[in-house]
Amino acid sequence: MIVGTSVAGVRAAQALRRNGGEDEILLVGAESHLPYDKPCLSKGMLSGAVAPEKNCLLTESAAAELGIRTALSQRAVGLDPEAAVLHTTAGRIPYDRLVIATGASARTLPWSDLPGVHSLRTRADCEALRADLRRGSRLVVVGGGFIGCEVAATARGLGLDVTIVEPEATLLPVAGPELGALAGEWHAGHGARVRVGEAVRAIVRAGGGLVVELRGGEVLDADCVVLGIGAVPNTGWLEGSGLDIADGIACDAWGRVHCHENVLAAGDVARWQDPVSGTARRVEHWTNATEQAAVVGKVLAGASDVAAHRVNTYVWSDQYDRTMSFVGRRACATRVTRFDDPRKNGVAFVGADEQGGLAFAAVVNWPRALLAVRKAINGGVPCAVVEEQLTPAA
Amino acid sequence: MAAIRADRALCAGYANCVMTAETYFELDDDGHVEVRRDEVPEKDRELVAEAVEACPVAALRIEG
Ligand SMILES: Cc1cc2nc3c(=O)[nH]c(=O)nc-3n(C[C@H](O)[C@H](O)[C@H](O)COP(=O)(O)OP(=O)(O)OC[C@H]3O[C@@H](n4cnc5c(N)ncnc54)[C@H](O)[C@@H]3O)c2cc1C
Ligand code: SF4
């Protein structure tokens, strides 16, 4: 049984089948829609370029073909791992083995429930936001991380008046100040207002619209506000189950939940042990979720030689006509060097750690550089080697 | 033998397929996927299927 019908849950089921597992599979999910993918919610589906039915991770026929049963509109509300029973809003379901893939929810602010204030995590969120974007003309995005910046870019594409408010000194703070400064330039160049180093003090309804008050005293009028301030793992339903759920469910490097051999977890909800550093981390990126699901599927199918999964911090983001990608951790880099692709406005920032290893890289519109840094970070290639690959031949 | 179909118009150059199955996929200079070998023998089917599922924009399919 798999709880959570998004990319980690669906891919785990597919991987189990691909590896020859013949168990009955039941996919249990809180939402009423067939499984859909999230990245599209801030991009194509929000702009209207992608119809909702095109964004489907598992069609009914694909599920039937793989022998996967779905139980939609059923929320898990409790787990008894000793008795191997899942409690849902529709009753109790016993299981032999359980995969937890309940992902994360958007973090909220005290003003989240005001009409016109949105978060963006589910298809329903996306549809509600899209409807508001079509009605209003002024959007304030609270939080200049990946999702906030994507919503801002999509909304500019729809012709809205957009302001991004980010408390750190640049946009995309996790990707480092170098990429953040560039992103600030693109957003300004596309007509979005960028307020960095500014936090929100209050949001109030006034007349038919909203007023966003900033700490510095500035007041922004808006028809619609989007909160892009991060996500929290969906582990509330596991209170009392005895599982270690401090910042995500604690697992080993194969997704096996500590002390509960029939329970595995993958994706945004899971905190996997990294086999090299020995520390456990939760990652909120698509590729990590699919890779973890592939490992879990193999483990479930009984494959003997499954390699321990290395935490993967690759994330991409599409904003305007730019595709940017980011690997590793900026905080671990002690020296960052910029490279430019002479042909195509490509940019790469490469960060070395104290030992000269590749700690981090951010790449914009430069596929070959992306491939080079992704391979290097997995293979432990020294930073100097990567830098040489990115230097144009004289 | 199974075959790979790539929709280069959908491909956004994320390189997940290359990272998963480098012997089958590569990127050209424009960042579009190039299939290095169309035909997939049975022993590699699982690997290629994993690469297909790793594509965030569903630009890849395996047929047969
Ligand atoms: C708008 C948006 C854009 C993104 N863009 C990118 C991007 O460009 N690149 C990138 O790398 N990553 C991106 N991400 C992140 C990526 O989508 C996530 O890492 C990925 O979706 C994680 O998958 P998951 O299956 O672990 O969890 P989720 O996608 O969070 O899915 C969890 C599922 O579990 C269900 N669920 C939750 N609680 C329960 C319960 N109690 N009972 C039953 N079901 C439950 C939920 O309804 C949901 O279907 C984006 C995320 C969002 C929200
Ligand atoms: S994973 Fe998909 S989008 Fe990425 S390079 Fe391969 S085919 Fe293109």
Side-chain angles (χ1 to χ4, degrees), chain A residues 314 374, chain B residues 6-8 10-19 25-27 31-34 51-52 54-60:
Chain A
Y314 164 66
R374 285 189 72 180
Chain B
D7 185 339
R8 286 169 43 95
L10 278 179
C11 171
Y14 297 123
N16 285 7
C17 56
V18 189
M19 296 303 294
F25 303 99
E26 65 181 332
L27 288 187
H32 288 115
V33 65
E34 240 162 34
V52 168
C55 175
V57 292
L60 302 173

Side-chain angles (χ1 to χ4, degrees), chain A residues 11 71 140 151 177 226 253 297 302 317 361 374 381:
Chain A
R11 291 292 193 255
V140 173
V151 170
V226 173
S317 178
R374 285 189 72 180
V381 174

